[in-house]
Amino acid sequence: MSRILRFQYDTLVEFDVPVREHAFVLRCVPPSFPGQEILDSTLDLDPQVPYARQRDGFGNLLQIGRVDGPHDHFRYSARGTARVDLARRQAERCAPVFRFPSAFTQPSGEMLAWLGGLSLPEEARARAWALSEAVRGRMTYAPGETGVSTTAAQAFAAGRGVCQDFAHIYLSLARLAGLPARYASGLPEGEGASHAWCEVWLDGVWTGIDPTRGGWTDEGYLRFGIGRDFGDCPMERGVFLGYTAQRQTVFMRVSEQ
């Protein structure tokens, strides 16, 4: 079912002390691909500086720039309209990197033992779903108890985490269970913050599954980035000169037009 979605993604980073020579790489504008067509989009930066547009090795859109002068905040705001229709997805090849552990998804002995105790179906789609439900039942959603550097093994040991942790654990175990899988980040329908889920390669088609929310993804999900794990597709990454604390405020909205 084709849907037209309006999206808004705003992030404000505030610095306690002005910084300078701030180089940034953003992935805050969703790309077009079979199943997702970006009809229009805009990106506003504050401070307003020029930026270059590129694609990374996974096909994600990059916005690359630099704020040289002193500044006590950095804000980026992406807006636009997209048509999402999963019936338009096409078969793709699976790169070998999505079959093996990555930096954030290295399994622990505890994870291997837990996976060995599960009775998973032979059929791939049923196995992907059963594993998602098992991860969701094993983990407790607990904002603030993990961070962007938390690995799948650390989150699994704690039994608590957020969508990024659920996705990393699922990816780690799915690959061990013979299911090629990749990390996906973007915006789900509604308001709040960005979200992470997984995509599993089933019958040659990358199919979204959300172990945090417990469901297959649908036309209410707008994908911004993919990769082996979070490290391949963060919405924002930067370096600057200065010693300061920083605070980040994020707001997103996705609604049907």
Side-chain angles (χ1 to χ4, degrees):
M1 178 185 69
S2 178
R3 298 182 66 191
I4 305 296
L5 302 177
R6 285 189 174 276
F7 66 89
Q8 172 187 351
Y9 183 69
D10 293 313
T11 297
L12 172 64
V13 182
E14 298 175 284
F15 305 105
D16 286 348
V17 177
V19 302
R20 58 190 176 88
E21 297 183 34
H22 179 183
F24 60 84
V25 177
L26 307 177
R27 292 178 180 84
C28 64
V29 177
S32 291
F33 53 85
Q36 176 175 291
E37 179 186 4
I38 306 306
L39 303 177
D40 62 80
S41 66
T42 61
L43 174 62
D44 296 317
L45 304 179
D46 180 19
Q48 188 174 5
V49 293
Y51 62 89
R53 299 177 177 89
Q54 297 181 16
R55 283 186 183 264
D56 65 17
F58 297 104
N60 304 317
L61 294 179
L62 304 180
Q63 301 82 43
I64 303 171
R66 180 183 175 98
V67 185
D68 285 320
H71 55 288
D72 60 8
H73 70 279
F74 179 62
R75 181 171 191 162
Y76 53 96
S77 302
R79 288 169 171 76
T81 310
R83 176 184 289 112
V84 183
D85 185 353
L86 297 186
R88 294 178 176 270
R89 291 175 302 171
Q90 299 176 0
E92 301 177 56
R93 74 178 186 89
C94 175
V97 294
F98 299 126
R99 299 178 183 269
F100 302 102
S102 56
F104 283 94
T105 64
Q106 289 287 344
S108 63
E110 181 185 15
M111 294 172 69
L112 289 169
W114 185 78
L115 179 63
L118 297 178
S119 179
L120 297 176
E122 287 294 324
E123 196 273 324
R125 186 178 181 89
R127 192 184 334 150
W129 175 255
L131 182 58
S132 176
E133 288 294 277
V135 170
R136 188 164 178 257
R138 172 65 170 70
M139 297 293 293
T140 298
Y141 188 81
E145 297 195 19
T146 56
V148 293
S149 62
T150 302
T151 66
Q154 291 169 335
F156 187 88
R160 305 168 72 82
V162 292
C163 58
Q164 175 180 308
D165 305 300
F166 280 62
H168 282 159
I169 292 169
Y170 183 84
L171 293 174
S172 178
L173 298 173
R175 292 165 183 167
L176 289 170
L179 296 166
R182 64 190 187 187
Y183 186 95
S185 63
L187 308 179
E189 190 171 11
E191 294 186 356
S194 58
H195 189 52
W197 60 94
C198 304
E199 292 184 345
V200 184
W201 196 59
L202 299 173
D203 297 323
V205 176
W206 286 105
T207 304
I209 190 168
D210 189 342
T212 307
R213 297 186 171 190
W216 300 102
T217 63
D218 57 21
E219 283 83 358
Y221 285 72
L222 191 59
R223 197 185 82 191
F224 280 56
I226 55 169
R228 295 164 298 175
D229 54 38
F230 167 79
D232 287 333
C233 53
M235 289 283 203
E236 175 259 334
R237 180 169 284 158
V239 293
F240 52 77
L241 286 181
Y243 184 79
T244 180
Q246 54 182 301
R247 297 173 301 281
Q248 187 179 76
T249 305
V250 178
F251 175 77
M252 76 85 181
R253 177 187 290 120
V254 175
S255 58
E256 186 163 21
Q257 179 171 297

